[in-house]
Amino acid sequence: MDEDKIKSATDDEDVKLMLAVKDGDDQVFEQLVLRHQKPLLNFFCRLGVNISDAEDLAQLTFVRLYRYRATYERTAKFTTYLYLLARQVRIDEVRRQIKISKVKDAAKGVAEIFEAASNDKAPNSLQDDLQVALQSLDEPHREVVVLGMLRELPYQEVAEILKIPVGTVKSRMHHALKQLKKFLES
Amino acid sequence: MKTQSDNLEQDKDLLEFRRLLSNGRCKVVDEVEPSPDFTSRVLLAIDESVEKNQRAEWASLASARNLDVSDIVEPKNDFSVSVLKKVKQTKRLSQIKLIWRYAAAAAAVLAIALLVIPEKHGARPVAMRTGPYSDRNLDEAKAFTQVDSAIDWLASHQEPDGSWAPKVVGGKEAFRPALTALGMMAIGRHAQERRSDAIKNAVNALRSMQQSDGSFNLDKQTQLYNHAFATYALIEHAKNNGAGLDEIIAEAIAFSVANQNPYGAWDYQKDGFGNAALTLWQVSLLIEANKLGWRDNDGALRRAVAWLKRESAKGVFDYRQTLDRQHASASGGIILTQLATEALVQFCNEKPSLNALAATAKTSFDTAYGRYTVRQLGKESALDSVLCKTFRGGEDFYPTLIALLSSRRY
């Protein structure tokens, strides 16, 4: 399919740039930032992060991408690697916020961490119906919708980013769409 | 690997998702654009991260050779006497050139300080203790007596409406809001109780100067300049007195935020490239506003700090950045650097992405050179300069008044 060819060519370009950075060509890193800054920023925004913090998280993601350049290997698509880092940055930041707000139980799972952090959210700049609908989902379901429906990453890639089986991605998506339908039609 | 059935299933879900949005008449806004300066901020953060790693390497090299790390680290962000120590050890030609520049700047500052002291005070200014600027040769009683005299002089020149009039000593009328704000702050920091009436009158004067758009100004040319000082003064007053200025301050902050340029800075006009002094005052007032409960939801403060970071690649500031960023104008640059590092250290404590900057800023702030500079300006010379050249504006007034404002009783 033509669309697949285009996406594949885009990924090839990203990988080529990243490998050049790995080889020491720092100048091309800026191209990677320019190509992915907007989708990455909107990824965080759609997860419920306010735009100011979303830019910070996006910045941290790129810094981390650069820091790990020496270990980059083309074992997956570039966007898989990028969103894996992005997700980890978000988790680390939420953990840090929780530490700051002195939530006692540090051994919570990821979903519980996000729920606790959501008690102290700054207003999101994306004030639209879609965002309200997304906020009605819990974090694991919101993630699959943002990655699979808004970023339109293939389910296999979503599975790799979230470190869950493809089957789980599909069932979460199915559940999420059902929830969204209920919410939007109510 | 994506299978055909995965494709079909996802395509089906995508259709369903889009149908839900359109059937529900779901409002969906366009995707957010990153700030115009986002890419450069990322690249700068990466530079700093690289430098931090380099310093760690140098630290272990230094330790292996039984040296202090400051002996071998190439100065990038230090405007300080510690540069001299480093050069003594390494004797690199490029660093020797750097010393002469710093020495020239130091000589210029000393010359300025000596020139403004009237003969009756002798050749050396009285050293003072003001928080971080400790010195053994303190004549505190004398210094504070002179501060009290200066405050009385200021209060006696206050207009009946509570403002201070620049024209009294030959200054421009357009700067009345800024001058009123500075007078109010100077009195507020040193004679809160003794001169409470003067402060109250100044607050009323500023209130009357606020326009319908929330700004404090008497003309468009000097709008953002006046506004920064006036807003800062009122926020400081509200912080110390809880004086019921919430609405005025909220409108003023909204005006500030609305007039930030796309690069994250402020200038005399909104379409200016950015003026470090004006930006620093805005940053400072937003930091103080944050303590009163204002939240940086739109990222104005964060963008401003990022601009300051970019403008301080070599750790110094000037009204408008010099080309090589290593040499700042003697008086403006040093004082602005001092103001900048104070503001940045306050702001950077919470944000992980700015921790490196906070550490650098604190180093600059605490440098021997910074302390030397402020000691040489001295509270006494600042007072004399204010009394002799007050209200004229320009560089001969600004740095000395800032030095006066920075000196607080502890």
Side-chain angles (χ1 to χ4, degrees), chain B residues 123-158:
Chain B
R124 278 174 58 90
V126 172
M128 64 176 179
R129 182 175 64 212
T130 54
Y133 309 122
S134 49
D135 188 276
R136 289 177 201 159
N137 299 323
L138 173 70
D139 188 342
E140 192 171 337
K142 184 177 177 185
F144 287 142
T145 302
Q146 290 189 285
V147 170
D148 287 340
S149 304
I151 295 300
D152 290 343
W153 184 91
L154 264 179
S156 70
H157 282 72
Q158 191 176 24

mmCIF file of all heavy atoms in Angstrom, chain B residues 123-158:
data_model
loop_
_atom_site.group_PDB
_atom_site.id
_atom_site.type_symbol
_atom_site.label_atom_id
_atom_site.label_comp_id
_atom_site.label_asym_id
_atom_site.label_seq_id
_atom_site.Cartn_x
_atom_site.Cartn_y
_atom_site.Cartn_z
ATOM 1 N N ALA B 123 38.800 57.757 49.982
ATOM 2 C CA ALA B 123 39.044 57.021 48.745
ATOM 3 C C ALA B 123 38.374 55.650 48.735
ATOM 4 O O ALA B 123 38.000 55.144 47.694
ATOM 5 C CB ALA B 123 40.542 56.856 48.528
ATOM 6 N N ARG B 124 38.209 55.020 49.875
ATOM 7 C CA ARG B 124 37.638 53.677 49.872
ATOM 8 C C ARG B 124 36.187 53.690 50.341
ATOM 9 O O ARG B 124 35.859 54.324 51.329
ATOM 10 C CB ARG B 124 38.418 52.788 50.841
ATOM 11 C CG ARG B 124 39.702 52.222 50.246
ATOM 12 C CD ARG B 124 40.459 51.483 51.310
ATOM 13 N NE ARG B 124 39.689 50.412 51.910
ATOM 14 C CZ ARG B 124 39.674 49.158 51.475
ATOM 15 N NH1 ARG B 124 40.384 48.819 50.440
ATOM 16 N NH2 ARG B 124 38.949 48.235 52.091
ATOM 17 N N PRO B 125 35.364 53.005 49.641
ATOM 18 C CA PRO B 125 33.974 52.932 50.113
ATOM 19 C C PRO B 125 33.893 52.066 51.368
ATOM 20 O O PRO B 125 34.705 51.166 51.562
ATOM 21 C CB PRO B 125 33.242 52.247 48.961
ATOM 22 C CG PRO B 125 34.285 51.491 48.224
ATOM 23 C CD PRO B 125 35.571 52.230 48.418
ATOM 24 N N VAL B 126 32.909 52.317 52.192
ATOM 25 C CA VAL B 126 32.696 51.495 53.381
ATOM 26 C C VAL B 126 32.150 50.147 52.944
ATOM 27 O O VAL B 126 31.192 50.071 52.198
ATOM 28 C CB VAL B 126 31.685 52.169 54.337
ATOM 29 C CG1 VAL B 126 31.319 51.241 55.472
ATOM 30 C CG2 VAL B 126 32.268 53.464 54.881
ATOM 31 N N ALA B 127 32.770 49.093 53.397
ATOM 32 C CA ALA B 127 32.277 47.766 53.032
ATOM 33 C C ALA B 127 31.029 47.459 53.843
ATOM 34 O O ALA B 127 30.833 47.991 54.922
ATOM 35 C CB ALA B 127 33.355 46.724 53.318
ATOM 36 N N MET B 128 30.199 46.618 53.334
ATOM 37 C CA MET B 128 28.936 46.349 54.017
ATOM 38 C C MET B 128 28.675 44.864 54.061
ATOM 39 O O MET B 128 29.236 44.101 53.282
ATOM 40 C CB MET B 128 27.805 47.036 53.274
ATOM 41 C CG MET B 128 27.652 46.469 51.880
ATOM 42 S SD MET B 128 26.289 47.149 50.984
ATOM 43 C CE MET B 128 26.474 46.268 49.435
ATOM 44 N N ARG B 129 27.840 44.482 54.953
ATOM 45 C CA ARG B 129 27.397 43.090 54.951
ATOM 46 C C ARG B 129 25.949 43.051 54.512
ATOM 47 O O ARG B 129 25.096 43.653 55.158
ATOM 48 C CB ARG B 129 27.525 42.499 56.353
ATOM 49 C CG ARG B 129 27.112 41.018 56.395
ATOM 50 C CD ARG B 129 27.343 40.386 57.734
ATOM 51 N NE ARG B 129 26.511 41.010 58.739
ATOM 52 C CZ ARG B 129 26.860 41.142 60.010
ATOM 53 N NH1 ARG B 129 28.035 40.733 60.402
ATOM 54 N NH2 ARG B 129 26.070 41.713 60.871
ATOM 55 N N THR B 130 25.692 42.398 53.423
ATOM 56 C CA THR B 130 24.308 42.271 52.968
ATOM 57 C C THR B 130 24.080 40.838 52.532
ATOM 58 O O THR B 130 24.239 40.495 51.365
ATOM 59 C CB THR B 130 24.013 43.195 51.777
ATOM 60 O OG1 THR B 130 24.996 42.924 50.760
ATOM 61 C CG2 THR B 130 24.071 44.642 52.169
ATOM 62 N N GLY B 131 23.706 40.014 53.456
ATOM 63 C CA GLY B 131 23.400 38.628 53.091
ATOM 64 C C GLY B 131 24.648 37.914 52.610
ATOM 65 O O GLY B 131 25.614 37.743 53.339
ATOM 66 N N PRO B 132 24.688 37.528 51.338
ATOM 67 C CA PRO B 132 25.827 36.745 50.862
ATOM 68 C C PRO B 132 27.122 37.540 50.760
ATOM 69 O O PRO B 132 28.182 36.988 50.554
ATOM 70 C CB PRO B 132 25.383 36.257 49.484
ATOM 71 C CG PRO B 132 24.166 37.005 49.135
ATOM 72 C CD PRO B 132 23.640 37.674 50.348
ATOM 73 N N TYR B 133 27.021 38.859 50.852
ATOM 74 C CA TYR B 133 28.229 39.667 50.605
ATOM 75 C C TYR B 133 28.924 40.007 51.912
ATOM 76 O O TYR B 133 29.016 41.168 52.309
ATOM 77 C CB TYR B 133 27.839 40.946 49.856
ATOM 78 C CG TYR B 133 27.002 40.667 48.633
ATOM 79 C CD1 TYR B 133 25.743 41.222 48.478
ATOM 80 C CD2 TYR B 133 27.454 39.795 47.644
ATOM 81 C CE1 TYR B 133 24.984 40.945 47.370
ATOM 82 C CE2 TYR B 133 26.695 39.516 46.547
ATOM 83 C CZ TYR B 133 25.457 40.087 46.416
ATOM 84 O OH TYR B 133 24.692 39.806 45.324
ATOM 85 N N SER B 134 29.374 39.013 52.595
ATOM 86 C CA SER B 134 29.946 39.318 53.914
ATOM 87 C C SER B 134 31.370 39.826 53.791
ATOM 88 O O SER B 134 32.096 39.486 52.868
ATOM 89 C CB SER B 134 29.905 38.082 54.795
ATOM 90 O OG SER B 134 30.416 36.986 54.126
ATOM 91 N N ASP B 135 31.720 40.643 54.667
ATOM 92 C CA ASP B 135 33.053 41.244 54.651
ATOM 93 C C ASP B 135 33.433 41.556 56.090
ATOM 94 O O ASP B 135 32.582 41.896 56.898
ATOM 95 C CB ASP B 135 33.028 42.538 53.814
ATOM 96 C CG ASP B 135 34.411 43.084 53.603
ATOM 97 O OD1 ASP B 135 34.897 43.794 54.495
ATOM 98 O OD2 ASP B 135 35.011 42.772 52.566
ATOM 99 N N ARG B 136 34.712 41.480 56.400
ATOM 100 C CA ARG B 136 35.105 41.702 57.788
ATOM 101 C C ARG B 136 35.096 43.166 58.186
ATOM 102 O O ARG B 136 34.963 43.511 59.338
ATOM 103 C CB ARG B 136 36.488 41.140 58.032
ATOM 104 C CG ARG B 136 36.489 39.638 58.029
ATOM 105 C CD ARG B 136 37.876 39.107 58.194
ATOM 106 N NE ARG B 136 37.911 37.737 57.685
ATOM 107 C CZ ARG B 136 38.980 37.097 57.310
ATOM 108 N NH1 ARG B 136 40.141 37.690 57.365
ATOM 109 N NH2 ARG B 136 38.940 35.865 56.865
ATOM 110 N N ASN B 137 35.309 44.057 57.215
ATOM 111 C CA ASN B 137 35.449 45.478 57.578
ATOM 112 C C ASN B 137 34.105 46.193 57.586
ATOM 113 O O ASN B 137 33.886 47.151 56.876
ATOM 114 C CB ASN B 137 36.390 46.180 56.586
ATOM 115 C CG ASN B 137 37.758 45.564 56.609
ATOM 116 O OD1 ASN B 137 38.232 45.176 57.670
ATOM 117 N ND2 ASN B 137 38.367 45.453 55.455
ATOM 118 N N LEU B 138 33.205 45.708 58.417
ATOM 119 C CA LEU B 138 31.859 46.253 58.379
ATOM 120 C C LEU B 138 31.706 47.415 59.338
ATOM 121 O O LEU B 138 32.100 47.361 60.485
ATOM 122 C CB LEU B 138 30.862 45.150 58.766
ATOM 123 C CG LEU B 138 29.413 45.620 58.924
ATOM 124 C CD1 LEU B 138 28.837 45.987 57.572
ATOM 125 C CD2 LEU B 138 28.585 44.524 59.563
ATOM 126 N N ASP B 139 31.105 48.477 58.837
ATOM 127 C CA ASP B 139 30.709 49.555 59.735
ATOM 128 C C ASP B 139 29.197 49.664 59.583
ATOM 129 O O ASP B 139 28.662 50.551 58.921
ATOM 130 C CB ASP B 139 31.404 50.855 59.308
ATOM 131 C CG ASP B 139 31.170 51.951 60.338
ATOM 132 O OD1 ASP B 139 30.224 51.805 61.158
ATOM 133 O OD2 ASP B 139 31.896 52.940 60.330
ATOM 134 N N GLU B 140 28.546 48.703 60.203
ATOM 135 C CA GLU B 140 27.116 48.544 59.943
ATOM 136 C C GLU B 140 26.312 49.743 60.416
ATOM 137 O O GLU B 140 25.409 50.211 59.738
ATOM 138 C CB GLU B 140 26.618 47.268 60.637
ATOM 139 C CG GLU B 140 25.234 46.865 60.192
ATOM 140 C CD GLU B 140 24.844 45.497 60.711
ATOM 141 O OE1 GLU B 140 25.749 44.701 61.033
ATOM 142 O OE2 GLU B 140 23.652 45.230 60.811
ATOM 143 N N ALA B 141 26.655 50.213 61.596
ATOM 144 C CA ALA B 141 25.877 51.332 62.168
ATOM 145 C C ALA B 141 25.919 52.528 61.230
ATOM 146 O O ALA B 141 24.899 53.167 60.945
ATOM 147 C CB ALA B 141 26.436 51.690 63.528
ATOM 148 N N LYS B 142 27.132 52.790 60.712
ATOM 149 C CA LYS B 142 27.275 53.941 59.813
ATOM 150 C C LYS B 142 26.472 53.715 58.552
ATOM 151 O O LYS B 142 25.781 54.608 58.058
ATOM 152 C CB LYS B 142 28.756 54.134 59.486
ATOM 153 C CG LYS B 142 29.020 55.372 58.630
ATOM 154 C CD LYS B 142 30.505 55.563 58.391
ATOM 155 C CE LYS B 142 30.732 56.753 57.475
ATOM 156 N NZ LYS B 142 32.127 56.906 57.113
ATOM 157 N N ALA B 143 26.554 52.498 58.024
ATOM 158 C CA ALA B 143 25.851 52.196 56.781
ATOM 159 C C ALA B 143 24.341 52.370 56.949
ATOM 160 O O ALA B 143 23.675 52.986 56.125
ATOM 161 C CB ALA B 143 26.163 50.768 56.327
ATOM 162 N N PHE B 144 23.826 51.880 58.044
ATOM 163 C CA PHE B 144 22.377 51.963 58.228
ATOM 164 C C PHE B 144 21.927 53.390 58.511
ATOM 165 O O PHE B 144 20.829 53.795 58.143
ATOM 166 C CB PHE B 144 21.906 51.026 59.339
ATOM 167 C CG PHE B 144 21.929 49.576 58.929
ATOM 168 C CD1 PHE B 144 22.297 48.592 59.818
ATOM 169 C CD2 PHE B 144 21.598 49.201 57.634
ATOM 170 C CE1 PHE B 144 22.314 47.257 59.434
ATOM 171 C CE2 PHE B 144 21.628 47.874 57.238
ATOM 172 C CZ PHE B 144 21.984 46.895 58.153
ATOM 173 N N THR B 145 22.752 54.147 59.171
ATOM 174 C CA THR B 145 22.411 55.562 59.391
ATOM 175 C C THR B 145 22.269 56.259 58.049
ATOM 176 O O THR B 145 21.354 57.064 57.837
ATOM 177 C CB THR B 145 23.512 56.262 60.220
ATOM 178 O OG1 THR B 145 23.645 55.574 61.447
ATOM 179 C CG2 THR B 145 23.147 57.708 60.478
ATOM 180 N N GLN B 146 23.171 55.918 57.154
ATOM 181 C CA GLN B 146 23.099 56.557 55.846
ATOM 182 C C GLN B 146 21.875 56.082 55.070
ATOM 183 O O GLN B 146 21.275 56.849 54.331
ATOM 184 C CB GLN B 146 24.375 56.270 55.061
ATOM 185 C CG GLN B 146 25.555 57.016 55.679
ATOM 186 C CD GLN B 146 26.780 56.937 54.843
ATOM 187 O OE1 GLN B 146 27.425 55.895 54.815
ATOM 188 N NE2 GLN B 146 27.116 57.983 54.144
ATOM 189 N N VAL B 147 21.520 54.821 55.252
ATOM 190 C CA VAL B 147 20.303 54.341 54.588
ATOM 191 C C VAL B 147 19.104 55.119 55.099
ATOM 192 O O VAL B 147 18.253 55.569 54.337
ATOM 193 C CB VAL B 147 20.098 52.827 54.840
ATOM 194 C CG1 VAL B 147 18.716 52.394 54.370
ATOM 195 C CG2 VAL B 147 21.158 52.024 54.124
ATOM 196 N N ASP B 148 19.029 55.301 56.399
ATOM 197 C CA ASP B 148 17.900 56.035 56.968
ATOM 198 C C ASP B 148 17.833 57.448 56.406
ATOM 199 O O ASP B 148 16.751 57.963 56.102
ATOM 200 C CB ASP B 148 18.009 56.082 58.504
ATOM 201 C CG ASP B 148 17.694 54.729 59.129
ATOM 202 O OD1 ASP B 148 17.046 53.899 58.454
ATOM 203 O OD2 ASP B 148 18.114 54.488 60.272
ATOM 204 N N SER B 149 18.998 58.062 56.266
ATOM 205 C CA SER B 149 19.016 59.429 55.710
ATOM 206 C C SER B 149 18.493 59.422 54.281
ATOM 207 O O SER B 149 17.736 60.314 53.875
ATOM 208 C CB SER B 149 20.435 59.994 55.668
ATOM 209 O OG SER B 149 20.997 59.947 56.933
ATOM 210 N N ALA B 150 18.925 58.425 53.549
ATOM 211 C CA ALA B 150 18.484 58.350 52.149
ATOM 212 C C ALA B 150 16.983 58.140 52.060
ATOM 213 O O ALA B 150 16.300 58.746 51.229
ATOM 214 C CB ALA B 150 19.205 57.205 51.435
ATOM 215 N N ILE B 151 16.455 57.315 52.946
ATOM 216 C CA ILE B 151 15.011 57.062 52.948
ATOM 217 C C ILE B 151 14.254 58.352 53.269
ATOM 218 O O ILE B 151 13.243 58.680 52.650
ATOM 219 C CB ILE B 151 14.664 55.960 53.969
ATOM 220 C CG1 ILE B 151 15.274 54.619 53.556
ATOM 221 C CG2 ILE B 151 13.157 55.833 54.158
ATOM 222 C CD1 ILE B 151 14.812 54.096 52.228
ATOM 223 N N ASP B 152 14.759 59.078 54.256
ATOM 224 C CA ASP B 152 14.090 60.333 54.635
ATOM 225 C C ASP B 152 14.103 61.310 53.476
ATOM 226 O O ASP B 152 13.117 62.012 53.214
ATOM 227 C CB ASP B 152 14.786 60.958 55.856
ATOM 228 C CG ASP B 152 14.546 60.150 57.121
ATOM 229 O OD1 ASP B 152 13.602 59.328 57.135
ATOM 230 O OD2 ASP B 152 15.306 60.318 58.097
ATOM 231 N N TRP B 153 15.241 61.324 52.778
ATOM 232 C CA TRP B 153 15.350 62.219 51.623
ATOM 233 C C TRP B 153 14.328 61.825 50.561
ATOM 234 O O TRP B 153 13.626 62.681 50.005
ATOM 235 C CB TRP B 153 16.774 62.141 51.068
ATOM 236 C CG TRP B 153 17.036 63.091 49.933
ATOM 237 C CD1 TRP B 153 17.513 64.360 50.020
ATOM 238 C CD2 TRP B 153 16.813 62.842 48.541
ATOM 239 N NE1 TRP B 153 17.615 64.940 48.786
ATOM 240 C CE2 TRP B 153 17.184 64.025 47.857
ATOM 241 C CE3 TRP B 153 16.340 61.768 47.808
ATOM 242 C CZ2 TRP B 153 17.111 64.134 46.462
ATOM 243 C CZ3 TRP B 153 16.251 61.878 46.429
ATOM 244 C CH2 TRP B 153 16.632 63.047 45.772
ATOM 245 N N LEU B 154 14.244 60.518 50.303
ATOM 246 C CA LEU B 154 13.283 60.036 49.300
ATOM 247 C C LEU B 154 11.862 60.427 49.700
ATOM 248 O O LEU B 154 11.095 60.939 48.892
ATOM 249 C CB LEU B 154 13.346 58.504 49.198
ATOM 250 C CG LEU B 154 14.200 57.860 48.132
ATOM 251 C CD1 LEU B 154 14.138 56.345 48.235
ATOM 252 C CD2 LEU B 154 13.796 58.295 46.734
ATOM 253 N N ALA B 155 11.528 60.151 50.959
ATOM 254 C CA ALA B 155 10.155 60.422 51.419
ATOM 255 C C ALA B 155 9.826 61.914 51.326
ATOM 256 O O ALA B 155 8.709 62.300 50.983
ATOM 257 C CB ALA B 155 9.984 59.920 52.851
ATOM 258 N N SER B 156 10.819 62.735 51.602
ATOM 259 C CA SER B 156 10.569 64.186 51.580
ATOM 260 C C SER B 156 10.350 64.701 50.161
ATOM 261 O O SER B 156 9.828 65.791 49.965
ATOM 262 C CB SER B 156 11.739 64.927 52.229
ATOM 263 O OG SER B 156 12.875 64.841 51.398
ATOM 264 N N HIS B 157 10.762 63.914 49.170
ATOM 265 C CA HIS B 157 10.584 64.337 47.785
ATOM 266 C C HIS B 157 9.401 63.655 47.118
ATOM 267 O O HIS B 157 9.217 63.754 45.918
ATOM 268 C CB HIS B 157 11.860 64.079 46.991
ATOM 269 C CG HIS B 157 12.912 65.109 47.235
ATOM 270 N ND1 HIS B 157 13.613 65.175 48.420
ATOM 271 C CD2 HIS B 157 13.356 66.136 46.472
ATOM 272 C CE1 HIS B 157 14.446 66.200 48.369
ATOM 273 N NE2 HIS B 157 14.308 66.805 47.206
ATOM 274 N N GLN B 158 8.586 62.965 47.912
ATOM 275 C CA GLN B 158 7.403 62.317 47.353
ATOM 276 C C GLN B 158 6.360 63.379 47.035
ATOM 277 O O GLN B 158 6.155 64.327 47.807
ATOM 278 C CB GLN B 158 6.835 61.299 48.354
ATOM 279 C CG GLN B 158 5.778 60.387 47.781
ATOM 280 C CD GLN B 158 5.324 59.323 48.799
ATOM 281 O OE1 GLN B 158 5.451 59.523 50.009
ATOM 282 N NE2 GLN B 158 4.792 58.221 48.327
#
